[in-house]
Amino acid sequence: MTARIAQPIRAVSSGVSSPALTERVRLFMRLPSRPLPAVLTGTLTLVASLVVATPVVAQAQAGAIDWQSCTEPKEGMQCATIKVPLDWSRPKGRTIQIGLARRKATGPASTRIGTALMVPGGPGTSGVAVLARDPQFTAAVQERFDVVTFDPRGINTSTQIKCATALVDKVMNTPMPQSNAAFESLKLANKQLSENCRKLSGPLYDHMDNLHVVQDMDAIRAALGENKITQIGYSYGTVRVQQYAAMFPDRVRASVADGNVDHSIETITEMMDSATAPAEKNFLQFAAWCDKTADCALYGRGTKKIFGELRERAKKGTLKDPLNGQPLDVYGLSRIALGVNMPELWKDVASTFKSLYDGGAAMPKPKAAPKAKAGKTQNFTRQASFCQDWNFRIKQYSELRTLLSRLAAKYPNMMWNDVHRAAVLDCAGYPGKATNPQAPLKIVGAPPMVMVGNVNEYASVYAWSKNAAKQAGATLVTYEGYGHTVYPRTVAYGPSDCVNDLIDDYLINLRVPARGSSCAGIEVPGTGGPQPPRS
């Protein structure tokens, strides 16, 4: 559930921190520029069915949006806001603001098909900020569609969820609990954060689940004057795309879900087992590459052996983080090892492991992050969104210890997948209920949906895409490569023309890809880097 959650991923290479690693991991996860969260940050893209009351259906009101220049002007982009009910079960009650952004179709008006709604992930990602950086579609689609996105309720230009920065920092910077006392302390911190956010944000805090976001999306469709919407969701945004198709099947023209999570997963054990498996596989692929590649920093030394010794030192408390001199536990080491999931970083990762193993050169101590001033608040939605969409609640430390022990025994190198830290820890002690709990996805009467799944994906893992596609009756396009989401370009290696051609043909011409469609990966280990947006 898409990318990190508590502490930044750091790398050391030949005694200095790798400048590429943190930013590339952030781009890989399609995250805003800030310290990496731990997933599902992410995490993550979630697929769900609807067990809810009959939804309110917004009626089309062409021209209801007053598009203006954005507060931070961006060439070719306009911004606006609309009002929606705070609580969709009370459509005539209090309202909140939803922020929108648009890039108009680049082709002639005579060829315009309609609006393509880009649905952001996270939870917590600003669609407006993403669209300002990158149109998120190929040039061919941009010619035929106005590209519109939004800030999901609680985020950025929408009415915000506010929380005390000191409490957010405390939760996000808490290391993996390894004692009952530490776990109880985390539960208390989660409870205090939730209560504080609710106090500062009011009733909006308890209406942050994706079922509310889906109805906000229909209000956007209506305000745009579109009878049917073309939508594409990335990562956590696929929950919204899929639930929209389930709730409003007759309002959909076409749906694409890129980087899926299976919202029918019943337990944390099931989620973490399926999420850690590809991370372990990618570690083994990295190790095999390093052992046969002369310019890998661990060439000739036995990559698995070196990492195994690092892991044992971390368990004993004798492994030191060269950046701050503090002990690095096995979960901190696993967080650093997340780079094995990105082949363009394999050289950096190997150099990091070598530096850790050899003791690292003296490194400048980073400036300590300033303590949050009393009364300082920030926009933070992850806990509210995730804990209202999932009923994962670890109540006792013994449950966490059992989970971690099982993962370590089954996946002895990575031990667990830190990307999904939020799924495991964020809702322990959360004083609220899941209002959109996981359940099998059931879509009836909607046009065919197309999903994209990445074989070596470790955030929205391939197994989740396969199961979500099966439940939805969707066509799954398989990308046999790495990274988090594929369309319209991989983060490090640029576009997969194979994937883009299939998705473009579907979005523009409504031609559904053939069942079993598969595209070769384009990654070359040890090379590559973040690609600029295509014109």
Side-chain angles (χ1 to χ4, degrees), residues 228-300:
K228 294 179 182 290
I229 197 74
T230 296
Q231 56 174 351
I232 181 167
Y234 296 100
S235 192
Y236 203 86
T238 62
V239 188
R240 295 151 185 169
V241 163
Q242 293 159 359
Q243 289 195 309
Y244 186 90
M247 186 179 281
F248 301 108
D250 60 338
R251 304 286 179 176
V252 177
R253 175 185 173 272
S255 296
V256 173
D258 185 359
N260 297 270
V261 175
D262 176 9
H263 192 237
S264 70
I265 291 174
E266 294 182 357
T267 67
I268 294 179
T269 298
E270 181 186 357
M271 170 174 279
M272 291 307 300
D273 186 280
S274 57
T276 307
E280 180 79 2
K281 179 183 71 172
N282 291 342
F283 175 88
L284 295 175
Q285 292 174 343
F286 155 75
W289 169 85
C290 195
D291 288 345
K292 65 182 181 182
T293 303
D295 59 351
C296 176
L298 298 179
Y299 177 70

Side-chain angles (χ1 to χ4, degrees), residues 106-387:
T106 59
S110 60
T111 64
R112 180 184 177 277
I113 294 172
T115 296
L117 183 67
M118 192 280 286
V119 185
T125 298
S126 161
V128 173
V130 170
L131 191 63
R133 297 194 303 268
D134 184 352
Q136 299 290 302
F137 291 90
T138 64
V141 171
Q142 292 176 61
E143 288 179 2
R144 307 296 297 278
F145 292 88
D146 292 345
V147 175
V148 171
T149 190
F150 64 104
D151 285 335
R153 54 174 52 211
I155 298 167
N156 194 28
T157 62
S158 295
T159 302
Q160 292 188 2
I161 294 294
K162 290 288 191 179
C163 306
T165 298
L167 293 176
V168 174
D169 289 347
K170 183 177 181 180
V171 167
M172 293 186 69
N173 293 322
T174 297
M176 176 65 73
Q178 297 188 54
S179 69
N180 184 68
F183 181 70
E184 290 300 321
S185 178
L186 174 66
K187 286 173 60 178
L188 178 60
N190 281 337
K191 181 175 183 290
Q192 291 172 337
L193 175 61
S194 175
E195 291 172 343
N196 172 263
C197 299
R198 182 179 288 107
K199 179 180 179 180
L200 294 177
S201 307
L204 173 60
Y205 184 82
D206 293 310
H207 298 84
M208 288 293 294
D209 64 51
N210 272 326
L211 299 183
H212 278 83
V213 176
V214 162
Q215 293 185 88
D216 295 344
M217 289 165 58
D218 196 57
I220 295 170
R221 174 204 58 77
L224 289 167
E226 300 281 0
N227 290 321
K228 294 179 182 290
I229 197 74
T230 296
Q231 56 174 351
I232 181 167
Y234 296 100
S235 192
Y236 203 86
T238 62
V239 188
R240 295 151 185 169
V241 163
Q242 293 159 359
Q243 289 195 309
Y244 186 90
M247 186 179 281
F248 301 108
D250 60 338
R251 304 286 179 176
V252 177
R253 175 185 173 272
S255 296
V256 173
D258 185 359
N260 297 270
V261 175
D262 176 9
H263 192 237
S264 70
I265 291 174
E266 294 182 357
T267 67
I268 294 179
T269 298
E270 181 186 357
M271 170 174 279
M272 291 307 300
D273 186 280
S274 57
T276 307
E280 180 79 2
K281 179 183 71 172
N282 291 342
F283 175 88
L284 295 175
Q285 292 174 343
F286 155 75
W289 169 85
C290 195
D291 288 345
K292 65 182 181 182
T293 303
D295 59 351
C296 176
L298 298 179
Y299 177 70
R301 300 180 66 176
T303 304
K304 286 177 61 179
K305 175 178 176 294
I306 293 292
F307 189 74
E309 292 181 19
L310 288 174
R311 188 173 59 251
E312 291 308 309
R313 285 161 55 183
K315 288 180 180 179
K316 295 175 182 177
T318 60
L319 183 64
K320 297 299 175 83
D321 186 338
L323 285 174
N324 56 27
Q326 297 299 309
L328 192 65
D329 67 16
V330 289
Y331 300 104
L333 179 63
S334 180
R335 184 181 306 117
I336 290 174
L338 286 176
V340 303
N341 297 282
M342 292 152 271
E344 73 276 12
L345 299 182
W346 282 2
K347 287 184 179 179
D348 288 333
V349 172
S351 295
T352 295
F353 292 164
K354 181 179 184 298
S355 182
L356 284 171
Y357 188 83
D358 294 341
M363 300 177 63
K365 192 171 183 178
K367 292 182 179 179
K371 286 189 176 181
K373 295 180 179 179
K376 184 177 180 181
T377 64
Q378 69 182 72
N379 185 199
F380 182 75
T381 64
R382 193 187 73 202
Q383 185 191 54
S385 296
F386 189 82
C387 298

